């Protein structure tokens, strides 16, 4: 993704992982091959592999962090898988190791410079680099940052830490931050400054939020895991197998699409493949992405 430059605010993307995670038909319980094919023209090749290519049937996901520079604030949104985490449910993420910090450095970010870490929600692939292992103990990776968590999300998972979408991440990537006194538990309409504020998009998880970014010359909405794949821009009624409240997740997707459609607001989803940033435009009685 090229840097989005809104004048007084910029957004970059640092990727931690890309790959084919699992079959689309397993990820989307209402998967329909005919529907997917009907939308192929605008999705390939970035968002849908070319016909006949390897892993064509699989859901391809990018795991990335958005780096936001807004005035004095240097903000990371969603922190991917992390290193050395003892996961069990997704083989690719068990004891995963990446040069994420090196990639951040290449983007001009040193850990101590980060002022805020914000998580759209607390699933394992959004909190991993919140912490790193130091002498056998999980410590905040970004020592000077405030970690901004939606209070409903933080409290909603406290008694459900064995959920397969967390897989141990609450204990090693969320609680150590809280116990170190670095967490701010905020309301779903929290505003960090004039350019960065939350809005609720419940359903995928108990306290899922989107993050608005607005500068002098542009605007974006970080939609987290309200959407995993662009097919849901055309078919928001497709919920993922990992959504907690199916009806609410669909309602949140529709609300987001109504806000973005045919407007000059970038959609920045947590898992859309390169180039990631796109606009939502009308497409007959449905919608599509325009890159
Ligand atoms: Zn995710």
């Amino acid at each position: 993704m090229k840097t989005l430059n809104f004048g007084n605010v910029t957004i970059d993307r640092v990727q931690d992982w890309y790959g084919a995670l699992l079959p689309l038909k397993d990820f989307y319980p209402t998967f329909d091959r005919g529907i997917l094919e009907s939308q192929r023209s605008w999705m390939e090749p970035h968002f849908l592999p070319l016909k006949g290519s390897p892993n064509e049937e699989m859901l391809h996901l990018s795991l990335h962090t958005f780096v936001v520079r807004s005035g004095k604030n240097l903000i990371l949104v969603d922190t991917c898988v992390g290193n050395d985490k003892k996961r069990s449910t997704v083989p690719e993420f068990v004891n995963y190791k990446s040069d994420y910090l090196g990639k951040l450095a290449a983007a001009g970010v040193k850990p101590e410079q980060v002022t805020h870490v914000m998580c759209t929600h607390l699933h394992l692939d959004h909190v991993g680099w919140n912490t790193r292992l130091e002498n056998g103990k999980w410590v905040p990776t970004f020592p000077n940052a405030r970690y901004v968590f939606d209070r409903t999300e933080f409290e909603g998972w406290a008694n459900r830490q064995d959920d397969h979408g967390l897989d141990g991440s609450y204990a090693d990537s969320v609680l150590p931050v809280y116990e170190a006194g670095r967490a701010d538990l905020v309301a779903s309409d929290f505003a960090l400054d004039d350019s960065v504020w939350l809005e609720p998009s419940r359903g995928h998880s108990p306290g899922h939020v989107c993050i608005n970014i607005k500068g002098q010359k542009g605007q974006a909405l970080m939609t987290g895991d309200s959407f995993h794949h662009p097919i849901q821009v055309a078919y928001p009624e497709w919920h993922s197998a990992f959504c907690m409240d199916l009806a609410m997740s669909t309602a949140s997707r529709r609300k987001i699409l109504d806000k973005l459609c045919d407007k000059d607001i970038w959609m920045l989803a947590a898992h859309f493949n390169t180039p990631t940033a796109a606009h939502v435009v009308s497409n007959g009685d449905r919608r599509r992405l325009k890159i």
Side-chain angles (χ1 to χ4, degrees):
M1 185 183 107
K2 286 184 188 159
T3 300
L4 297 181
N5 188 341
F6 299 162
N8 57 331
V9 179
T10 62
I11 307 174
D12 290 289
R13 191 199 71 161
V14 172
Q15 191 177 53
D16 189 34
W17 186 84
Y18 173 75
L21 196 66
L22 74 174
L24 278 160
K25 66 177 176 47
D26 294 343
F27 194 80
Y28 291 114
T30 56
F31 178 77
D32 181 310
R33 171 55 68 178
I35 285 177
L36 189 76
E37 291 300 330
S38 77
Q39 306 298 310
R40 172 175 288 278
S41 62
W42 63 266
M43 289 196 290
E44 72 178 5
H46 299 287
F47 302 130
L48 197 64
L50 294 170
K51 260 193 158 334
S53 59
N55 293 322
E56 187 196 340
E57 304 291 321
M58 303 287 278
L59 173 70
H60 288 69
L61 290 182
S62 169
L63 269 58
H64 47 249
T65 292
F66 292 115
V67 178
V68 182
R69 291 176 172 87
S70 166
K72 291 177 184 162
N73 292 328
L74 175 55
I75 305 152
L76 305 183
V77 176
D78 289 337
T79 60
C80 310
V81 180
N83 276 11
D84 306 308
K85 308 281 171 161
K86 307 283 181 230
R87 304 288 173 253
S88 61
T89 54
V90 182
E92 287 86 344
F93 300 156
V94 175
N95 289 317
Y96 182 65
K97 276 197 187 289
S98 77
D99 185 30
Y100 176 84
L101 294 180
K103 291 179 185 174
L104 272 185
V109 178
K110 293 178 187 160
E112 59 272 21
Q113 294 174 320
V114 175
T115 61
H116 297 83
V117 175
M118 304 177 86
C119 298
T120 56
H121 64 300
L122 299 180
H123 276 157
L124 68 94
D125 55 319
H126 297 257
V127 299
W129 274 104
N130 284 0
T131 59
R132 62 185 175 81
L133 205 52
E134 187 179 270
N135 300 322
K137 196 166 171 257
W138 295 109
V139 299
T141 306
F142 308 100
N144 300 316
R146 299 305 303 173
Y147 286 68
V148 178
F149 302 138
D150 178 286
R151 178 178 287 279
T152 302
E153 180 76 359
F154 180 84
E155 294 178 349
W157 288 118
N159 296 319
R160 308 184 47 153
Q161 294 184 36
D162 55 351
D163 187 278
H164 66 303
L166 302 187
D167 197 13
S169 60
Y170 199 84
D172 61 39
S173 305
V174 176
L175 283 181
V177 169
Y178 180 75
E179 287 162 359
R182 306 304 306 178
D184 290 329
L185 306 181
V186 302
S188 60
D189 61 351
F190 170 79
L192 181 64
D193 58 27
D194 290 346
S195 296
V196 180
W197 70 97
L198 309 183
E199 71 177 66
S201 52
R202 312 307 206 204
H204 180 62
S205 67
H208 189 287
V209 290
C210 290
I211 301 177
N212 289 276
I213 311 290
K214 187 171 186 179
Q216 292 160 344
K217 297 180 191 167
Q219 189 171 350
L221 184 69
M222 296 176 177
T223 57
D225 278 8
S226 297
F227 301 76
H228 289 83
H229 188 278
I231 186 64
Q232 291 172 288
V233 171
Y235 285 83
E237 58 269 49
W238 284 24
H239 59 79
S240 82
F242 295 89
C243 286
M244 180 179 273
D245 185 319
L246 310 184
M248 202 184 290
S249 78
T250 294
S252 289
R253 272 188 294 284
R254 291 191 191 286
K255 189 171 163 218
I256 291 165
L257 291 171
D258 287 347
K259 174 179 174 137
L260 299 182
C261 189
D262 299 325
K263 304 268 174 37
D264 191 10
I265 305 174
W266 291 97
M267 178 179 186
L268 297 175
H271 296 308
F272 288 3
N273 188 23
T274 302
T276 303
H279 284 91
V280 177
V281 295
S282 299
N283 187 24
D285 59 354
R286 299 252 168 206
R287 274 102 174 222
R288 68 178 178 87
L289 285 184
K290 185 174 168 220
I291 57 173

